[in-house]
Amino acid sequence: MMVIAAQGLAKSYGAVAALRGASFDIAPREIVGFAGDNGAGKSTLMKIVAGDLQPTGGELRVTGDVRNSMTPRQARALGIEMVYQDLALCDNLSIYENIFLGREITRFRAGPLSPIAHVKMIRRAEQLLDQLGVKLNSLTAPVSALSGGQRQFVAIARALVGSPKLVIMDEPTAALSVGAGKPLLELIRRLPETGTAVMLVSHRLSDLLETTSRIYVLRRGEIATELRTPETSETRLLHAMAGIG
């Protein structure tokens, strides 16, 4: 059973069609790429899967069930997490506090009182990062002290706290140099080992070619073609994006 299966997804804003009928699927533990120029519909597609937008047409299935009107909270409950391009980290909080932001572990509940189990959170954060092969000097340091790549690691670790079925990644290397992005791409390739599938959206075609098994190319709000990554090239991707050939 597919983690995500979409048939004819559409999204319109009045007379403007942002998405014109996209059909695609993502299998468990699969990394699938989505490519396209600005305005091709990638962001709209991501936001529908994440529950930020509701489609105006078509059908979205999550592990076999139709879920056309999800909220982000409902999407998370179904095992869908999104790592946004801006990462949405809180610079004034520590690394481990960011990883558990909104999912804090408490020692006990006594009415409105819920003392936070800081030590347990730190240990669990260490386990998560170790599982990802990420080494950080101190999890109590503020996240503002981290490099761009390290901040991405923290955002990914936060997405994995709930053992999701799918992680959506929006332009994960956009703010990184090619060299700084290499460790992040290696981490993305390992994510299926944690049990999650990945929906990877990137303008860097080399990122998609290095990490995915399949790539969907969007053009003018439609999925123009599906390519098997081992059988394609950057030139072929560019031609598909431009509608050549």
Side-chain angles (χ1 to χ4, degrees):
M1 183 182 296
M2 294 293 172
V3 175
I4 292 289
Q7 188 66 41
L9 278 186
K11 179 64 178 180
S12 296
Y13 300 91
V16 178
L19 207 59
R20 300 172 184 272
S23 300
F24 66 94
D25 54 51
I26 302 175
R29 298 175 184 247
E30 184 181 25
I31 304 175
V32 178
F34 290 78
D37 289 327
N38 289 332
K42 302 187 305 299
S43 294
T44 301
L45 199 60
M46 277 189 301
K47 290 176 181 178
I48 289 175
V49 176
D52 291 327
L53 291 175
Q54 280 69 54
T56 51
E59 180 179 273
L60 178 67
R61 289 182 175 270
V62 182
T63 58
D65 296 325
V66 178
R67 302 285 183 177
N68 278 12
S69 58
M70 294 188 296
T71 65
R73 183 185 293 272
Q74 290 169 332
R76 170 174 278 188
L78 290 168
I80 299 172
E81 293 281 350
M82 183 161 176
V83 179
Y84 292 90
Q85 187 173 349
D86 65 4
L87 303 183
L89 298 176
C90 296
D91 285 347
N92 61 314
L93 297 180
S94 68
I95 294 168
Y96 81 89
E97 287 171 322
N98 269 280
I99 289 174
F100 284 95
L101 188 62
R103 289 179 170 175
E104 290 81 2
I105 299 173
T106 56
R107 287 184 288 165
F108 60 85
R109 289 189 176 275
L113 299 176
S114 301
I116 294 175
H118 292 280
V119 174
K120 188 176 292 187
M121 286 166 58
I122 292 171
R123 288 176 179 167
R124 176 61 180 140
E126 288 174 342
Q127 291 171 353
L128 271 172
L129 292 170
D130 187 61
Q131 182 182 15
L132 294 173
V134 175
K135 302 295 182 184
L136 299 176
N137 290 332
S138 172
L139 299 191
T140 59
V143 80
S144 58
L146 300 180
S147 67
Q150 290 172 325
R151 291 168 67 90
Q152 280 281 3
F153 294 154
V154 172
I156 293 171
R158 182 176 64 188
L160 295 180
V161 166
S163 301
K165 297 181 179 70
L166 175 72
V167 173
I168 306 167
M169 303 199 70
D170 180 15
E171 303 286 354
T173 62
L176 305 177
S177 67
V178 173
K182 289 294 183 183
L184 179 58
L185 294 179
E186 291 173 6
L187 172 60
I188 291 170
R189 281 195 294 268
R190 293 196 302 269
L191 284 179
E193 298 172 10
T194 70
T196 185
V198 180
M199 179 179 183
L200 179 61
V201 176
S202 180
H203 279 98
R204 285 190 184 177
L205 303 186
S206 59
D207 290 0
L208 300 178
L209 292 170
E210 287 184 40
T211 57
T212 66
S213 59
R214 295 182 292 130
I215 301 171
Y216 288 102
V217 178
L218 285 92
R219 190 170 67 247
R220 298 176 182 173
E222 298 178 330
I223 289 183
T225 189
E226 174 191 351
L227 300 171
R228 290 186 56 79
T229 306
E231 301 166 3
T232 193
S233 64
E234 191 162 331
T235 299
R236 190 178 177 193
L237 272 175
L238 287 168
H239 283 178
M241 289 165 60
I244 300 173

